[in-house]
């Protein structure tokens, strides 16, 4: 199994792009954010430990994430795996490195988007309450207002997508996650892609990188 780490600030479009790679190029996606939200809706012990941190926009403790990551990797199928949302700090990058015999990181792809665009992307984001498909009120609206194109269920705003939580998340990104980019840069394993512009334009940039692997 080879891992591709998809990294970037909240709102950079990691989830949207990862879904396209899954649909079109047969990648398997592991999203720690989605996995945590699943645990919360199940009311599990992990979900209980995570929910307070997530609601505030803070990082969930590393030991909780390691449990999630291991479970997801063990369930994971296929050769090409995308990691969306992990590692999010230096300690997590080092932890992932300890698993490299079994799960080596081939490349970290950084979706690069400026602050102003990030904020407007997150505040207008809506997700399906049932299947989790992402939309944007302005950039990617559903065909019918408030209804998921894929499964017909209602769209909601994530509790951590409100303006005050977004500020915390962007701050956490700058303080903790940017170091992860540096970690992979030093190992010649980081490529930055311009993440601004329409979804399909960004996707084409991504495919150029991924197909060269
Ligand atoms: P985004 O990338 O837009 O911030 P995610 O869905 O990836 O959204 O993550 C939402 C929240 O889940 C984060 O703010 C954090 O609380 C938690 N989370 C996800 N992945 C991690 C991680 N690797 N380490 C710590 N917390 C995480």
């Amino acid at each position: 199994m080879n891992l591709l780490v998809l990294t970037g600030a909240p709102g950079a479009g990691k989830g949207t792009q990862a879904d396209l790679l899954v649909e079109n190029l047969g990648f398997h996606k592991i999203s720690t954010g989605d996995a945590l939200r699943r645990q919360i809706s199940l009311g599990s012990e992990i979900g209980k430990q995570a929910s307070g941190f997530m609601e505030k926009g803070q990082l969930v403790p590393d030991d909780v994430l390691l449990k999630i990551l291991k479970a997801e990797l063990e369930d994971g199928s296929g050769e090409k795996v995308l990691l969306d949302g992990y590692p999010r700090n230096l300690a997590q990058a080092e932890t992932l490195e300890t698993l490299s015999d079994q799960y080596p990181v081939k490349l970290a792809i950084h979706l690069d988007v400026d602050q102003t665009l990030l904020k407007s992307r997150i505040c207008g984001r809506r997700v399906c309450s049932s299947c989790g498909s992402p939309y944007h009120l302005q950039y990617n609206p559903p065909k019918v207002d408030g209804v998921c194109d894929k499964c017909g269920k209602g769209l909601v705003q994530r509790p951590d997508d409100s303006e005050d939580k977004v500020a915390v998340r962007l701050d956490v990104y700058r303080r903790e996650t940017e170091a992860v980019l540096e970690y992979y840069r030093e190992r010649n394993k980081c490529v930055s892609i311009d993440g601004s512009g329409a979804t399909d334009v960004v996707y084409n940039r991504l495919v150029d990188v991924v197909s060269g692997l």
Side-chain angles (χ1 to χ4, degrees):
M1 186 190 278
N2 270 318
L3 298 180
L4 276 188
V5 168
L6 207 50
T7 180
K14 301 180 296 287
T16 302
Q17 296 297 334
D19 288 347
L20 287 171
L21 290 171
V22 168
E23 254 171 57
N24 300 320
L25 296 180
F27 278 88
H28 174 76
K29 173 178 98 161
I30 294 177
S31 159
T32 48
D34 289 349
L36 287 165
R37 282 184 286 276
R38 253 190 327 268
Q39 293 297 327
I40 291 175
S41 62
L42 289 170
S44 72
E45 202 43 51
I46 285 189
K48 283 180 196 142
Q49 289 170 27
S51 67
F53 295 99
M54 287 179 80
E55 274 161 22
K56 293 192 200 104
Q58 294 167 352
L59 293 187
V60 174
D62 292 343
D63 57 329
V64 177
L65 260 296
L66 185 57
K67 283 185 205 148
I68 293 261
L69 179 72
K70 281 194 166 157
E72 294 281 318
L73 284 170
E74 278 157 19
D75 280 358
S77 54
E79 268 303 292
K80 304 187 292 184
V81 175
L82 282 173
L83 259 187
D84 165 14
Y86 193 100
R88 242 179 168 88
N89 60 25
L90 215 45
Q92 292 181 7
E94 281 159 0
T95 299
L96 189 56
E97 189 57 31
T98 65
L99 307 177
S100 65
D101 280 352
Q102 217 179 342
Y103 306 112
V105 173
K106 180 114 182 163
L107 193 68
I109 302 178
H110 168 219
L111 277 179
D112 194 8
V113 173
D114 80 50
Q115 284 281 322
T116 323
L117 183 55
L118 287 174
K119 281 188 193 150
S120 89
R121 278 192 181 170
I122 302 178
C123 294
R125 168 159 68 183
R126 298 293 180 272
V127 291
C128 175
S129 55
S130 175
C131 73
S133 295
Y135 295 89
H136 191 282
L137 296 179
Q138 192 185 341
Y139 308 124
N140 175 30
K143 294 196 180 82
V144 178
D145 231 14
V147 178
C148 178
D149 293 348
K150 291 194 181 144
C151 73
K153 295 284 163 29
L155 303 185
V156 293
Q157 184 173 40
R158 266 172 41 181
D160 58 347
D161 275 353
S162 61
E163 221 170 310
D164 53 333
K165 308 292 165 41
V166 169
V168 176
R169 285 160 62 204
L170 289 173
D171 191 48
V172 168
Y173 176 76
R174 275 190 301 269
R175 280 188 293 108
E176 306 221 28
T177 314
E178 274 182 356
V180 171
L181 294 179
E182 207 40 51
Y183 179 90
Y184 288 113
R185 263 189 213 120
E186 282 165 4
R187 288 159 181 77
N188 287 322
K189 280 190 182 178
C190 184
V191 172
S192 275
I193 289 184
D194 178 3
S196 57
T199 303
D200 55 335
V201 175
V202 177
Y203 178 66
N204 287 334
R205 293 180 192 132
L206 201 54
V207 169
D208 280 346
V209 171
V210 168
S211 51
L213 291 176

